Structure formats: C-alpha cells, structure tokens
Amino acid sequence: MKACAMSEQLKINIDGKLFSFCVDNLSQAVREELEALFYTDGQCKRVPIKDLLQAYIVAAEKYAKIHSSLESLYLEIENASIPPQNITAQEL
C-alpha cells in the first residue's frame, strides 16, 4: 500500500480530536468540499460531530437521488420502443 506524503494528507478537527487522512484518490471536487467543511480561510476549524453527521446525511441523500434518477433513466431507455429506420444497402 502506498503511503501518503504530507502534502496529500487532509488534517481535520472533529470535536477537538485531530485526524488526518490520505486524499490521493479523491477528485478535486471532493477535496474542495472537504476543505469547505473543515477549513475557514485556510485554517483548520473544529467541526462538531453533529455537523459531520449532517454533512454525511446530505451527501447520502444526494447520492440516493442520483442513483434513483439513473435507474429511472435506464428503465426509460430499456423500455423505449424505437421504430426501425429505413436501411438501404449499397454495393461497393
């Protein structure tokens, strides 16, 4: 397993307990969301566990809505009846 360099670590403060974790495999968008939650003006802020749980629930709800939308879209595509197109053959 690859070890994270210090520049690839995100340090967070949850109710006064300090944690750090590797962000190597996270997209830039996810990194930015995490920084918005755990940092203010570049400084690590103390995040109450309640706020962290609320952020998780909101993210889970977004994921569930996206998943549901994709399932609906897939069913629509699967059940779509597309009339055959006129196909003509050409000899080369």
Side-chain angles (χ1 to χ4, degrees), residues 1-10 21-25:
M1 180 182 288
K2 180 183 166 199
C4 273
M6 289 307 289
S7 63
E8 299 165 330
Q9 295 276 330
L10 180 66
F21 61 93
C22 184
V23 294
D24 283 352
N25 297 323

Side-chain angles (χ1 to χ4, degrees), residues 26-42:
L26 300 178
S27 70
Q28 186 61 34
V30 171
R31 290 178 192 205
E32 289 170 4
E33 256 189 77
L34 290 172
E35 288 178 15
L37 178 62
F38 292 108
Y39 287 80
T40 301
D41 297 326

Side-chain angles (χ1 to χ4, degrees), residues 3-18:
C4 273
M6 289 307 289
S7 63
E8 299 165 330
Q9 295 276 330
L10 180 66
K11 295 180 191 295
I12 60 175
N13 179 341
I14 301 172
D15 276 338
K17 293 182 181 178
L18 299 177

